[in-house]
Amino acid sequence: MIQQLSIIGIGLIGGSLALALKQAGAVARVTAYARRQETLDQALALGAIDYGSTDLGEAMAGAEVVVVATPVGAMPAMFEQLAPHLTDDMVLTDVGSTKGSVVRAASMAIGQLPVGFVPGHPIAGTEQNGVGAAFADLYKNRRIILTPLQSSHPDAIATVRQMWEACGAEVVEMGVEHHDEVLAATSHLPHMLAYALVDTLARMDESEEIFEFAAGGFRDFTRIASSNPAMWHDICVANREAMLSVLNRFSEDLAQLTAAIEAGNSDYLLQTFTRAKGARDRFAEKFEDSNT
Ligand code: NAP
């Protein structure tokens, strides 16, 4: 049981964490910081938090565990502002979609990283944002990646792990750099493709007709283009290197596919589609419904 959890930035991700822990009886008190009183009032009304403040020090006072759940682009400023309020016995974690940028931001702001700091990333979410979209089951049967640092104390890692497990999630650990490469390929690239596809089609003269006749496949493929643009802007900036590497690799493969269509290269087309279908079928069988 966490005696006091303080969530810095109470939106979809932070709000869902608070609701899940309360539902599981795994937290005694939840406090939160947000810039706007309106956000805190909404979190209070939903029963996600017991106390909210637009003053960071007030929101963090007495916390056993502090979770930074603001957009990634706001984290450098957040870590600078929260540094003076950290105490030696606090466990500090975050939910940012990129990990290298968060660790850099924390060490720039705090200096020597506290032993209580354990970066994390829930592989769960929706296209909605804001605390109004939060729900207690968001993390059920989802994966949470922790990227403990050399400085992270085993007790702090165990506390963060138990917190997520209490939400019904499965916790895995990996290195910071590896996390950013894996997520660039599995999450960031698909979001770029969905945004680019919808944008290209929307700017065509006949876009109304294209969307009118769009079938289920188009909807499935482009669902994630409804995600929060500001959040994805921040992720592109924060995970630039890993994203460029996977985008360049994909662009080369797409150019080859284009050339094969141009040349009427049936072997290439059939081989590519067959290989992709095999990989997708194996993936679906093994992992479907265990991740977003
Ligand atoms: P969200 O619903 O928009 O919530 C963001 C929260 O941070 C709100 O409480 C907001 O309240 C506050 N905030 C916004 N901008 C801020 C700023 N510049 N400085 C300080 N506070 C700010 O976002 P979310 O979807 O929960 O995402 C939060 C984090 O989770 C991000 O780091 C994201 O990368 C990560 N994440 C998201 C997903 C997803 O699918 N959504 C999945 C995994 C991880 P005020 O505006 O009142 O300050």
Side-chain angles (χ1 to χ4, degrees):
M1 161 82 85
I2 296 171
Q3 288 310 314
Q4 185 181 312
L5 175 76
S6 295
I7 300 182
I8 311 306
I10 185 100
L12 168 71
I13 296 296
S16 297
L17 173 62
L19 288 170
L21 290 174
K22 277 177 170 267
Q23 193 180 73
V27 67
R29 177 176 148 87
V30 181
T31 66
Y33 161 84
R35 293 167 306 172
R36 293 172 299 147
Q37 187 58 42
E38 190 190 324
T39 306
L40 298 169
D41 290 344
Q42 209 179 356
L44 280 163
L46 286 168
I49 63 171
D50 303 291
Y51 173 77
S53 178
T54 53
D55 180 307
L56 190 57
E58 264 177 38
M60 279 174 64
E64 186 182 334
V65 179
V66 175
V67 180
V68 183
T70 62
V72 164
M75 288 202 187
M78 268 353 288
F79 281 116
E80 264 176 37
Q81 289 170 47
L82 68 78
H85 306 290
L86 280 175
T87 60
D88 289 345
D89 53 354
M90 276 179 187
V91 171
L92 175 65
T93 186
D94 76 293
V95 297
S97 303
T98 59
K99 296 277 53 88
S101 69
V102 171
V103 174
R104 281 192 296 278
S107 54
M108 292 263 288
I110 306 172
Q112 194 180 346
L113 287 170
V115 295
F117 181 43
V118 184
H121 176 202
I123 311 300
T126 71
E127 299 76 65
Q128 313 298 319
N129 63 299
V131 71
F135 60 101
D137 285 347
L138 179 61
Y139 305 114
K140 253 194 192 131
N141 303 320
R142 300 291 170 180
R143 283 189 159 174
I144 310 296
I145 302 176
L146 300 185
T147 61
L149 308 171
Q150 284 204 332
S151 52
S152 306
H153 193 282
D155 289 349
I157 301 171
T159 300
V160 178
R161 174 179 276 275
Q162 282 158 15
M163 175 183 83
W164 285 113
E165 284 173 350
C167 302
E170 183 201 347
V171 176
V172 296
E173 291 182 20
M174 62 174 72
V176 168
E177 215 173 296
H178 188 54
H179 167 279
D180 287 355
E181 283 165 7
V182 169
L183 269 290
T186 57
S187 169
H188 307 172
L189 177 65
H191 277 82
M192 295 308 106
L193 301 188
Y195 277 131
L197 173 66
V198 174
D199 185 53
T200 299
L201 298 186
R203 286 185 293 109
M204 285 182 173
D205 289 343
E206 61 278 26
S207 65
E208 279 299 315
E209 198 180 14
I210 290 171
F211 288 111
E212 196 180 326
F213 289 102
F218 178 82
R219 269 194 210 105
D220 289 350
F221 187 81
T222 59
R223 175 181 63 84
I224 52 179
S226 293
S227 303
N228 182 355
M231 179 174 117
W232 280 96
H233 161 270
D234 285 5
I235 291 171
C236 287
V237 172
N239 202 23
R240 183 173 179 273
E241 300 304 325
M243 264 171 103
L244 282 177
S245 159
V246 72
L247 270 168
N248 285 334
R249 166 82 191 266
F250 180 78
S251 302
E252 281 166 22
D253 286 353
L254 192 62
Q256 283 200 30
L257 190 63
T258 309
I261 294 170
E262 206 170 356
N265 186 343
S266 301
D267 286 351
Y268 183 93
L269 297 177
L270 281 169
Q271 273 168 20
T272 304
F273 301 157
T274 305
R275 204 168 48 233
K277 175 175 163 46
R280 174 68 174 89
D281 290 350
R282 281 194 303 281
F283 153 80
E285 204 177 305
K286 203 166 167 196
F287 297 113
E288 203 104 283
D289 296 330
S290 72
N291 268 312
T292 48

